[in-house]
Amino acid sequence: MNKYILLITLVISFSVSSQSRQVFTINNNWEFYKGNLEVSKTETFLEHNDVKWQSVNIPHTWNNIDTTDDTPGYYRGIAWYKKSIFIESAHTPNAKTLIYFEGVNQVADLYVNGQWVGQHKGGYTRFHFDVTSFLKYNQQNTFAVKVDNSYNEAIPPLSADFTFFGGIYRDVFIMELNEVHFSMDDHSSSGIYISTPEVSKELATVEVKYLLNNEGSKNKTVQVVSQIVDKQGVVVLSLNKKVRLSKNEKNKENTEVFSIKNPQLWSPDNPYLYSVITQIKDLKTGKILDESSEPLGLRWFKFDSEKGFFLNGEHLKLIGTNRHQDYLKKGNALSDEMHVRDIRLLKEMGGNFLRISHYPQDPTVLEMCDRLGILTSVEIPIVNAITESEAFTNNCLAMAEEMVKQNYNHPSLVIWAYMNEVLLRLPFDQKTEKERYEIYAKNVTKLASKIESKIRSLDFYRSTMIVNHGAISRYKDAGLTSVPMILGWNLYQGWYGGKLSSFDSNLDDLHNLFPNQSLIITEYGADVHPRLHSMKPERFDYTVEYGNKYHEHYIKAIQSRSFIVGANIWNLNDFYSESRGYALPRTNLKGITTLDREKKDTWWLYKTALSKTPVIKFGQNQWKIRGGVAEAGKDFCTLPVTVYSNGDSVELWHNNNVVYNAKVVDNIARFSIPFVNGKNSFIAKMKVDSKEYIDVLDVDFRLAPNNFSEFKDEFYGLNVLLGTNRIYEDKVKSQVWIPEQPYTKGSWGYVGGERFRPKTRFGSLPSSDLDIIDSEDDPIYQTQRVDIQKFKLDVPDGRYVISLGWAELESDKEHEKLIYNLGDDRILEAVTDRVFNVLINGNYIEKNLNLAEQFGVEKAVSKKYEVLVLNGEGITLDFEAIKGKPILNTFQIRRL
Ligand code: GCB
Ligand code: CA
């Protein structure tokens, strides 16, 4: 009965036997063609010169450029990849050759030597084909993959707030296997499933289930050795078994059970990993026929609807982010190292939780979470809506099964999820077609129940989750909330609508409504363009300061409620979303890092709040060129400076001579500092356990005159944004745009008019979200003053160049519908019929200016005019309406 053979710790080495499986990438030198080809052509396409193939490497997407240009839309259709590979004769008789894809978006058809091999649907899970019978060994073989990322009503996601980059965007491997091997046939999993039905400090039970294939034509008995190896490579336990396999037998199942005494536990602070090494050996020769190594982390966990999450018996508040798999100009075609970098960014921030949204990602992501100690949730991409068809249901179920089986062994993974805001966009009006809606809602719930039971049947140990948006009753009424074990909520109070404080009441309401279910705030966030600032931040202004305010509020509300199991910031990184206009076109800016992973303030806020070691860091630390108007009679401008710190108080040195002190409240020390023209250098200091920690910041401050005649410094010029409180830092031109002010004598500013505030279903907003054509700096054109009468400056005599900037923001142009949150019901502005004249000091510089007609809507227009100012006349711009109301977006003046 003693089937556990306990080996005394023994170091073994795993030499790669030439007999064992061989796995290598074939990423380089593919040829690519964007467009469809007749399959008959592809059979011999190597000889075809009429098609222009382009040489590419994998990871590859064909959308990295067309999603970032000024034109809406991106290529969603068919493209072909081909590659000729010399395949050596098999190293053993009856060996198998597989081609293995980590991810192709979204439908892939494989052809080998002109013959169709198979198809895979779904852009985010792994798959493989056995190509043995299609190959010519010791010869060149042509592999061709037809990839299609067009809309497919049977494959989720149907719609979502992210770009569906097409291509073979993750690694491709060739795998050479002996005729006897661990089965890949169970949804392209490793064929090895590790579970830990019981773990405690004293004892861990580990079940290793493996699936064996004998694809030879003879019956065969092999020996399977399973070992648990610790971090140092020492074998802790080893079991072995003779297994008899019939000829052509597939997926023969076996299970070994190990008991580990006094196990090393896995946790975020100590992500201790064992490995499970499994080998198939030839009974006679002892040769290794196949081998595998899987991660093993020993931990137990519990979700409690009142008290939160417990890991290894200890409470752990789960705080972290979501993550999208794309990067600046690369689309989703990222190398493994870039995925690794992201998970490190989260760990470095102090995060212990990652919602891998909205789809399974590259295998390196979960590998890194195992290694770094980050708990995770993974989901299949059923986003926004479903199709009520059998085909859709089947694809969902297949994806769920692939997800679970391919990722089963990761100790970091604790939640399987499968729907995101599926009742966000109803396919019809809920009120007018009540009955139809009820059917739809029922079908959504029916689908959810099917996926739920599928997942539960595949994994007994983990929890399940559905993610909903703030329209709570929709999900409850549809019965959807009673399907999963955990409820995820994406809450954006204070962004898409409402006040920040309604977030708090929402949390309490949710707990009252669902007292027995664990609640996770699966998303919350605010769009931030790191170059935009405001001293009067407001919802939808995209400024750093509003984003900070939002997160400062949310983090407190989340931390102070024990029934909130965890929360995931939306998002770790800014990401591409083709249908968005916004401050940076085609991009969702809710990341706490940018598309190229520049850390925003919010990243530092969380790092400060979550770190167990001392952190001190200037807020607004990316903001190096600042500006403001001198206070009356003064030669400085007082502005706030914030320092993130987890100490008690912070000492701030300004230009090496003035010292300020402030207490740290909620991880922030706040100061008011008189900025002087030119260089302002800061040192922030704090003491923790008598050790000093510092951060430094240099700001180049451009002081604008309040009263020109009192201004001590030389007046170099001024860049003004109209119709806004926003400040924009232009790093390329090294200049700062400051907000408008009304004209007063001796000073500068506008006369008359009002701010343009587009009306949307989210209320009247502080800026337009149009994608400005022909500008790298969209935000400066996205605000304007409407019905402006004058712009006046009492500048000293001299020669000046003035630039005026416009973009017509009102139109009835049928905008590409933002299928996502901002949406269909956007209230379009009236047809624009705007004609006006502009005069400088009485001379017409623009006559009958009609921006929409002459340049088009949402197009950046900028014009320069030279002006000679004499006799103290100053500068006066007059705007004369001919039709409609005159506008001005930007005003710039430079002294020559
Ligand atoms: C959501 C969605 C996510 C969006 C996000 C947003 O609720 O789940 O995909 O990107 O809101 O930024 O609007
Ligand atoms: Ca990879």
Side-chain angles (χ1 to χ4, degrees):
M1 266 315 280
N2 184 8
K3 71 175 183 158
Y4 307 123
I5 307 161
L6 179 65
L7 287 193
I8 320 150
T9 51
L10 163 93
V11 182
I12 58 155
S13 69
F14 304 98
S15 59
V16 181
S17 149
S18 64
Q19 295 282 310
S20 178
R21 77 168 59 192
Q22 313 233 329
V23 181
F24 49 89
T25 56
I26 47 163
N27 286 345
N28 295 115
N29 283 333
W30 285 75
E31 286 180 88
F32 170 73
Y33 173 72
K34 194 165 87 182
N36 199 5
L37 293 174
E38 291 300 318
V39 175
S40 60
K41 236 186 216 179
T42 64
E43 289 174 19
T44 50
F45 59 96
L46 280 180
E47 296 82 51
H48 261 266
N49 298 323
D50 54 339
V51 162
K52 238 189 151 195
W53 295 88
Q54 178 200 338
S55 167
V56 300
N57 286 331
I58 286 162
H60 175 260
T61 174
W62 60 74
N63 294 121
N64 56 325
I65 301 302
D66 68 354
T67 47
T68 53
D69 58 16
D70 265 346
T71 50
Y74 59 108
Y75 183 76
R76 293 191 68 182
I78 292 170
W80 283 85
Y81 292 82
K82 71 176 168 93
K83 181 176 172 63
S84 165
I85 309 170
F86 187 87
I87 308 256
E88 271 182 56
S89 72
H91 56 72
T92 56
N94 307 318
K96 293 275 144 193
T97 307
L98 271 45
I99 184 167
Y100 177 87
F101 295 86
E102 283 185 349
V104 179
N105 200 25
Q106 103 170 318
V107 179
D109 280 275
L110 175 71
Y111 293 80
V112 174
N113 297 325
Q115 272 181 283
W116 183 76
V117 178
Q119 185 183 66
H120 179 263
K121 293 196 195 95
Y124 307 94
T125 44
R126 300 163 230 170
F127 58 96
H128 77 276
F129 298 106
D130 179 347
V131 290
T132 316
S133 63
F134 297 87
L135 291 177
K136 296 175 281 181
Y137 284 94
N138 290 321
Q139 288 179 50
Q140 292 289 339
N141 289 272
T142 321
F143 286 75
V145 191
K146 177 182 164 189
V147 183
D148 188 350
N149 72 332
S150 43
Y151 174 81
N152 187 325
E153 64 165 24
I155 306 175
L158 300 172
S159 88
D161 182 25
F162 58 93
T163 302
F164 304 139
F165 297 98
I168 305 181
Y169 71 97
R170 292 184 196 156
D171 294 320
V172 183
F173 295 89
I174 291 283
M175 294 184 167
E176 286 170 3
L177 308 176
N178 286 309
E179 62 183 17
V180 177
H181 54 258
F182 292 110
S183 172
M184 301 282 300
D185 297 336
D186 195 18
H187 299 264
S188 301
S189 78
S190 64
I192 293 159
Y193 302 100
I194 301 166
S195 21
T196 51
E198 271 177 54
V199 181
S200 70
K201 286 189 179 113
E202 293 75 37
L203 193 77
T205 312
V206 181
E207 251 177 45
V208 179
K209 180 174 114 182
Y210 52 84
L211 304 177
L212 298 178
N213 280 7
N214 172 17
E215 303 202 35
S217 51
K218 290 188 192 126
N219 299 343
K220 189 153 184 162
T221 303
V222 292
Q223 180 150 51
V224 181
V225 183
S226 309
Q227 294 175 316
I228 293 183
V229 177
D230 73 9
K231 211 171 166 176
Q232 280 71 42
V234 177
V235 176
V236 180
L237 292 167
S238 182
L239 291 174
N240 94 63
K241 193 171 265 171
K242 271 186 210 157
V243 182
R244 206 189 120 80
L245 296 163
S246 320
K247 61 182 178 197
N248 285 319
E249 180 165 11
K250 288 206 174 185
N251 294 332
K252 164 103 179 191
E253 191 182 310
N254 250 298
T255 303
E256 302 282 15
V257 181
F258 296 87
S259 304
I260 306 179
K261 282 197 190 129
N262 301 319
Q264 294 266 9
L265 298 179
W266 181 96
S267 70
D269 285 340
N270 182 24
Y272 189 95
L273 287 180
Y274 295 85
S275 337
V276 173
I277 312 269
T278 335
Q279 295 175 317
I280 310 172
K281 288 185 175 173
D282 189 294
L283 201 57
K284 286 182 213 129
T285 63
K287 272 183 189 156
I288 299 167
L289 300 175
D290 199 5
E291 63 190 336
S292 134
S293 172
E294 295 288 321
L296 170 66
L298 301 173
R299 84 284 184 266
W300 75 99
F301 62 88
K302 190 177 93 186
F303 288 95
D304 183 290
S305 63
E306 226 25 85
K307 297 187 196 126
F309 181 75
F310 290 80
L311 185 73
N312 304 331
E314 279 168 41
H315 179 254
L316 184 69
K317 187 89 169 189
L318 298 173
I319 302 281
T321 67
N322 289 268
R323 187 230 180 203
H324 264 302
Q325 61 180 8
D326 56 341
Y327 191 89
L328 183 71
K329 294 188 183 142
K330 288 187 179 292
N332 58 354
L334 269 58
S335 64
D336 287 351
E337 292 74 18
M338 298 181 79
H339 298 293
V340 169
R341 174 190 183 180
D342 279 359
I343 309 310
R344 286 197 188 284
L345 257 175
L346 173 57
K347 183 71 183 181
E348 190 193 334
M349 187 188 86
N352 60 17
F353 190 28
L354 177 65
R355 172 172 172 234
I356 300 175
S357 55
H358 290 305
Y359 41 78
Q361 300 187 1
D362 192 276
T364 41
V365 170
L366 275 166
E367 280 161 25
M368 282 311 288
C369 290
D370 291 347
R371 290 225 294 145
L372 297 179
I374 292 171
L375 290 137
T376 60
S377 146
V378 183
E379 64 201 48
I380 54 169
I382 309 176
V383 184
N384 292 359
I386 69 156
T387 304
E388 299 158 272
S389 72
E390 204 184 315
F392 188 85
T393 302
N394 290 340
N395 286 333
C396 291
L397 291 170
M399 268 183 207
E401 187 152 6
E402 287 174 340
M403 170 178 78
V404 174
K405 290 189 163 164
Q406 293 170 5
N407 300 297
Y408 191 84
N409 296 337
H410 292 287
S412 58
L413 210 163
V414 289
I415 301 168
W416 301 116
Y418 54 89
M419 276 179 176
N420 183 79
E421 307 189 353
V422 276
L423 299 178
L424 178 73
R425 286 254 166 276
L426 301 176
F428 26 73
D429 188 323
Q430 193 179 348
K431 281 168 224 129
T432 55
E433 295 191 53
K434 198 164 175 291
E435 265 171 44
R436 182 68 189 92
Y437 170 71
E438 272 160 17
I439 295 169
Y440 180 76
K442 262 193 203 123
N443 284 334
V444 168
T445 306
K446 217 159 106 190
L447 175 63
S449 309
K450 283 186 186 159
I451 301 171
E452 179 75 19
S453 33
K454 176 100 211 165
I455 293 177
R456 288 200 199 189
S457 76
L458 297 172
D459 188 343
F460 184 72
Y461 302 105
R462 291 185 172 95
S463 299
T464 57
M465 176 170 79
I466 287 182
V467 174
N468 308 318
H469 81 286
I472 304 167
S473 55
R474 263 191 213 176
Y475 296 88
K476 195 170 190 296
D477 296 347
L480 203 57
T481 47
S482 45
V483 180
M485 304 175 188
I486 296 171
L487 296 176
W489 296 98
N490 300 342
L491 300 179
Y492 290 92
Q493 287 84 12
W495 183 256
Y496 286 119
K499 291 198 191 107
L500 287 173
S501 57
S502 37
F503 176 61
D504 307 46
S505 47
N506 242 273
L507 295 182
D508 300 330
D509 291 349
L510 279 169
H511 186 46
N512 289 335
L513 273 169
F514 307 104
N516 301 319
Q517 267 162 303
S518 291
L519 307 176
I520 293 177
I521 306 310
T522 33
E523 289 181 23
Y524 64 98
D527 290 77
V528 167
H529 187 308
R531 305 282 94 84
L532 278 173
H533 296 274
S534 172
M535 296 305 130
K536 293 174 187 161
E538 67 179 302
R539 190 167 75 83
F540 262 102
D541 67 6
Y542 306 100
T543 64
V544 169
E545 290 69 22
Y546 190 76
N548 291 349
K549 193 172 159 181
Y550 177 100
H551 281 280
E552 286 160 23
H553 183 93
Y554 270 60
I555 193 174
K556 262 172 84 176
I558 289 164
Q559 295 279 30
S560 63
R561 286 169 175 79
S562 61
F563 62 82
I564 297 299
V565 166
N568 308 86
I569 302 161
W570 187 259
N571 187 35
L572 176 65
N573 52 304
D574 287 348
F575 59 93
Y576 288 115
S577 177
E578 239 288 334
S579 52
R580 281 183 185 263
Y582 280 23
L584 196 68
R586 323 251 167 252
T587 310
N588 185 311
L589 292 168
K590 295 192 190 72
I592 52 169
T593 68
T594 58
L595 276 168
D596 57 350
R597 308 312 192 250
E598 192 186 334
K599 292 163 183 161
K600 297 185 188 175
D601 269 26
T602 36
W603 186 93
W604 285 103
L605 171 70
Y606 284 93
K607 176 166 175 74
T608 309
L610 301 172
S611 291
K612 289 165 190 160
T613 51
V615 178
I616 182 164
K617 184 76 187 175
F618 278 100
Q620 301 162 314
N621 56 70
Q622 298 172 288
W623 191 14
K624 299 289 160 56
I625 309 163
R626 304 190 190 183
V629 182
E631 278 157 46
K634 300 279 170 26
D635 52 5
F636 58 76
C637 168
T638 305
L639 289 173
V641 167
T642 55
V643 179
Y644 297 122
S645 156
N646 49 12
D648 297 329
S649 65
V650 171
E651 190 179 282
L652 181 69
W653 289 74
H654 182 206
N655 284 343
N656 283 317
N657 51 39
V658 193
V659 191
Y660 303 83
N661 270 287
K663 277 194 83 164
V664 175
V665 180
D666 295 329
N667 298 302
I668 304 175
R670 297 178 195 270
F671 302 88
S672 272
I673 301 295
F675 281 79
V676 293
N677 205 13
K679 190 169 172 183
N680 289 257
S681 56
F682 296 98
I683 308 172
K685 302 181 181 179
M686 71 168 183
K687 274 204 174 129
V688 179
D689 296 334
S690 72
K691 256 192 158 173
E692 191 173 76
Y693 297 85
I694 67 159
D695 189 33
V696 294
L697 176 71
D698 281 338
V699 173
D700 178 359
F701 195 80
R702 313 284 167 83
L703 188 72
N706 174 32
N707 184 303
F708 285 98
S709 58
E710 285 171 6
F711 195 59
K712 287 203 198 102
D713 297 283
E714 215 188 314
F715 174 59
Y716 64 90
L718 198 57
N719 314 310
V720 182
L721 297 181
L722 279 298
T724 186
N725 292 322
R726 303 199 297 194
I727 305 167
Y728 183 73
E729 180 192 27
D730 179 345
K731 290 213 186 216
V732 177
K733 302 195 187 88
S734 180
Q735 62 186 18
V736 60
W737 293 86
I738 59 172
E740 63 178 10
Q741 59 175 24
Y743 170 78
T744 53
K745 191 144 181 49
S747 187
W748 56 271
Y750 65 81
V751 178
E754 56 183 17
R755 290 183 175 179
F756 172 67
R757 292 188 66 103
K759 286 167 197 67
T760 74
R761 61 188 273 242
F762 301 107
S764 101
L765 301 183
S767 83
S768 162
D769 65 357
L770 292 183
D771 176 7
I772 305 296
I773 300 161
D774 280 351
S775 168
E776 311 250 283
D777 304 298
D778 291 36
I780 66 173
Y781 292 101
Q782 285 169 330
T783 61
Q784 61 187 195
R785 199 152 187 93
V786 183
D787 210 10
I788 182 168
Q789 288 158 23
K790 288 176 195 299
F791 197 93
K792 263 173 85 70
L793 308 93
D794 295 338
V795 288
D797 287 358
R799 221 155 64 85
Y800 295 90
V801 59
I802 288 176
S803 325
L804 303 182
W806 288 284
E808 181 54 74
L809 301 176
E810 293 194 43
S811 91
D812 66 347
K813 194 170 132 191
E814 215 3 72
H815 276 284
E816 183 198 359
K817 295 262 162 47
L818 194 44
I819 9 168
Y820 209 61
N821 284 329
L822 291 186
D824 307 332
D825 13 18
R826 175 194 168 102
I827 302 162
L828 291 170
E829 302 292 336
V831 186
T832 188
D833 199 3
R834 192 196 306 281
V835 185
F836 58 97
N837 299 330
V838 186
L839 299 88
I840 297 185
N841 290 350
N843 302 315
Y844 282 97
I845 53 156
E846 292 297 335
K847 274 195 167 171
N848 295 311
L849 183 61
N850 183 333
L851 293 158
E853 203 176 277
Q854 289 165 253
F855 303 95
V857 180
E858 55 185 302
K859 170 114 170 168
V861 178
S862 152
K863 286 200 163 194
K864 282 193 265 191
Y865 314 88
E866 277 199 29
V867 191
L868 185 62
V869 179
L870 297 171
N871 309 321
E873 60 183 342
I875 295 174
T876 302
L877 270 68
D878 283 291
F879 295 83
E880 278 181 7
I882 297 172
K883 258 189 199 169
K885 297 170 177 172
I887 52 168
L888 183 64
N889 300 47
T890 70
F891 174 89
Q892 200 170 24
I893 182 167
R894 189 159 51 88
R895 194 169 195 170
L896 294 176

